[in-house]
Amino acid sequence: MSTDIPDRKRFNNTIKYQRELFAALPEGARTALDLGCGEGLAARTLAAAGLSVVGVDADAPSIDRARAQDTQGITYIVGDVLTTEIEPADVVYSGVMLHHIDLREGLERFRSLVAPGGVLLIVGTARNTWRDLPREFAASVIDKAFALVKGVWRHGSPEVWPPPHTYREVERAAAELLPGSEYKQQMLWRYTIRWDAPPAS
Ligand SMILES: C[S@@+](CC[C@H](N)C(=O)[O-])C[C@H]1O[C@@H](n2cnc3c(N)ncnc32)[C@H](O)[C@@H]1O
């Protein structure tokens, strides 16, 4: 972990997919949440896109590092995303934290925090099963190539391993709890979910 490396030079598998998701933020979005923000790279990226951002994390040292790097007036809260009082936002992002909490409770909570017409963006990781073995082999090779070319930035926030749920379980839960969402099992040990909330009626 190093907070000396500029954000634009940081690279890891979560950041790769986070950048892909952030390439299509809804027009007119004004507010954002980074749930399980760690030391705040995604929060800073959303703030740089002009959004008013709140980052939430249960780990006080991570929030200390996030605050130390903030130049954009991001609001940081030390708290549990499931129980802390949080205002809904137009963009709700979560990076590799859903496996820290109950899957269904987490998805329902994240959904409830998306303002009408807003978007929920998730980068997550899950447990492999035998069906994932061919992908696992390919991922190992591609991951090494990325690491050689771009390096690997390591966050210093709490981790949980192995993830309690499988890719199939996440896909099924997303289909049920986030109707119309787009779930993708990505190559490099991540899945992404995008769910566009219905507009206000
Ligand atoms: C693997 S880290 C990811 C951090 C950051 N999103 C990133 O991509 O670098 C997971 C983060 O989720 C946080 N976390 C876990 N359970 C949480 C909860 N119930 N409420 C808030 N934060 C939580 C941990 O403290 C940790 O910082």
Side-chain angles (χ1 to χ4, degrees), residues 139-188:
S140 306
V141 176
I142 296 168
D143 182 62
K144 280 197 175 48
F146 270 123
L148 271 176
V149 175
K150 290 175 173 280
V152 180
W153 183 79
R154 297 189 195 285
H155 66 77
S157 299
E159 294 188 18
V160 165
W161 198 262
H165 40 250
T166 66
Y167 288 95
R168 243 62 60 196
E169 286 164 348
V170 178
E171 184 174 13
R172 279 197 294 270
E176 183 190 333
L177 300 172
L178 305 171
S181 60
E182 186 183 338
Y183 166 94
K184 272 192 205 164
Q185 184 173 353
Q186 302 284 1
M187 176 56 74
L188 296 172

Side-chain angles (χ1 to χ4, degrees), residues 14 34 36-38 56-59 62 79-82 95-97 99-101 153 155 157-159:
T14 303
D34 183 0
C37 61
V56 185
D57 201 288
D59 182 53
S62 294
D80 185 333
V81 296
L82 293 173
V96 281
M97 77 80 62
H99 64 290
H100 288 239
I101 58 180
W153 183 79
H155 66 77
S157 299
E159 294 188 18

Side-chain angles (χ1 to χ4, degrees), residues 53-128:
V53 185
V54 174
V56 185
D57 201 288
D59 182 53
S62 294
I63 292 289
D64 288 344
R65 288 199 300 282
R67 287 192 174 125
Q69 294 172 80
D70 178 33
T71 56
Q72 297 158 298
I74 295 167
T75 299
Y76 284 110
I77 301 172
V78 178
D80 185 333
V81 296
L82 293 173
T83 54
T84 301
E85 199 175 313
I86 305 169
E87 285 293 311
D90 302 320
V91 177
V92 176
Y93 170 73
S94 175
V96 281
M97 77 80 62
L98 187 55
H99 64 290
H100 288 239
I101 58 180
D102 180 78
L103 173 61
R104 297 177 67 88
E105 197 184 353
L107 286 176
E108 285 172 349
R109 172 67 166 158
F110 292 178
R111 184 185 62 195
S112 76
L113 292 172
V114 186
V119 69
L120 172 60
L121 303 171
I122 301 173
V123 178
T125 191
R127 194 155 38 83
N128 280 332

